[in-house]
Amino acid sequence: MQDNAALPDNAALLDYVTSCTLPTPWAQFTLHAFVEHATGKEHLAMTLGDIKDGEPPLARIHSECLTGDVMFSQRCDCGAQLEGALKKIAAEGRGILLYLRQEGRGIGLVNKIRAYRLQEAGADTVEANLQLGFHADARNYELVLPMLQQFGIEAVRLMTNNPRKIAALEKLGIKVADRVPLLVNRNAFNTGYLDTKQAKLGHMMTPAAEPALDGEL
C-alpha cells in the first residue's frame, strides 16, 4: 500500500511507496522506496537536507553492485564510490543518492559472476559482457526522471566519472549543473577494470586516483 504522497506526472515507470529515517556513520538520511512496474524491482533514494529549494543538490546515481557494495570486493570501485558519495553528501549536509537495481551494468548478478570468470581467463570487462551476449553497458536511466521529479529536482551537481550518465540525464531534461569527479580506491585488483572504463567506455578517470591507504577510500 502506498503512502499518501503526490506522484510525478510521468510515474508510469514506477511507484513511490514509503520513506523512513536511515542513520548511517556519516549522517541521518531519509530512505525512500520505489517499485518499478515492469520488473517489480525495488529502487531506493537516500536524501539529506532541503533538496526542494531550487538549488541543484549534490547527487549520485549508483547502480547496485552486491559484490562491491556489500561484500567489499576490490575488483571494482563501486563500494568505495557508494561510501564516498554518501560522505560527500553528509559533508555538505544536503544531497540525494539514487540506488538503482541494475547489477553488473544491467546484466544481473549471476551473469556478472560469469563475466568475472571470463575475465579470469583473460577478457576485460567489456569483452566479457559481449562474449555473454550483452551490451558493454546495458543500464537504463529512464527511472531517474520520475524519481527526481518525486522531489521536485530539475538540476543536479552529479558525482560521476561516466559521461553516459551525464548524457542520459540531459536527454531526460535534467540539467547537470556541474560534474563532481568520484575517483576512489584504485588498487592492484581493479587497475585493469578502471583502465578499461577509461579506454573503452570513455570514463573520465584522470587525474588518476592514488592507491588508497588502509581504512581510507
Side-chain angles (χ1 to χ4, degrees):
M1 178 179 295
Q2 294 179 8
D3 286 353
N4 184 17
L7 293 174
D9 291 339
N10 68 336
L13 294 175
L14 79 173
D15 287 326
Y16 163 77
V17 181
T18 193
S19 303
C20 69
T21 58
L22 184 71
T24 76
W26 315 289
Q28 180 167 288
F29 289 82
T30 302
L31 184 66
H32 311 268
F34 299 80
V35 175
E36 183 179 357
H37 292 173
T39 64
K41 287 183 178 179
E42 299 153 333
H43 304 278
L44 301 170
M46 293 176 66
T47 62
L48 183 67
D50 182 4
I51 58 173
K52 298 183 179 181
D53 62 3
E55 291 296 318
L58 188 61
R60 167 74 180 163
I61 300 169
H62 190 88
S63 296
E64 179 183 41
C65 175
L66 183 71
T67 50
D69 299 343
V70 177
M71 298 176 178
F72 313 107
S73 171
Q74 298 298 291
R75 299 183 69 140
C76 62
D77 57 346
C78 303
Q81 285 191 318
L82 177 60
E83 183 174 343
L86 292 175
K87 284 183 174 180
K88 285 179 179 291
I89 292 171
E92 288 207 1
R94 177 177 178 271
I96 182 169
L97 183 142
L98 302 185
Y99 194 88
L100 305 182
R101 306 293 298 281
Q102 300 192 107
E103 181 75 49
R105 294 186 189 146
I107 69 175
L109 180 60
V110 171
N111 283 320
K112 184 173 82 169
I113 295 171
R114 291 188 176 114
Y116 279 169
R117 184 69 174 178
L118 292 173
Q119 290 167 40
E120 290 170 357
D124 63 32
T125 55
V126 168
E127 292 166 347
N129 275 25
L130 295 176
Q131 288 177 29
L132 290 171
F134 298 103
H135 293 293
D137 189 339
R139 288 175 290 182
N140 185 333
Y141 296 108
E142 289 184 356
L143 296 175
V144 170
L145 181 58
M147 292 176 80
L148 291 179
Q149 286 181 329
Q150 178 70 35
F151 306 102
I153 295 173
E154 298 179 351
V156 296
R157 295 163 48 228
L158 188 64
M159 289 182 279
T160 188
N161 308 321
N162 185 352
R164 297 185 183 192
K165 285 186 182 178
I166 297 171
L169 261 63
E170 292 180 341
K171 184 177 180 180
L172 291 169
I174 299 296
K175 180 181 178 182
V176 179
D178 188 25
R179 182 186 79 86
V180 180
L182 197 58
L183 299 168
V184 290
N185 195 35
R186 180 179 286 269
N187 62 68
F189 300 100
N190 70 14
T191 293
Y193 163 86
L194 295 176
D195 289 346
T196 298
K197 273 187 172 184
Q198 181 176 11
K200 293 191 173 183
L201 297 175
H203 286 219
M204 296 169 276
M205 305 301 293
T206 54
E210 294 295 327
L213 301 175
D214 289 343
E216 295 183 355
L217 287 176

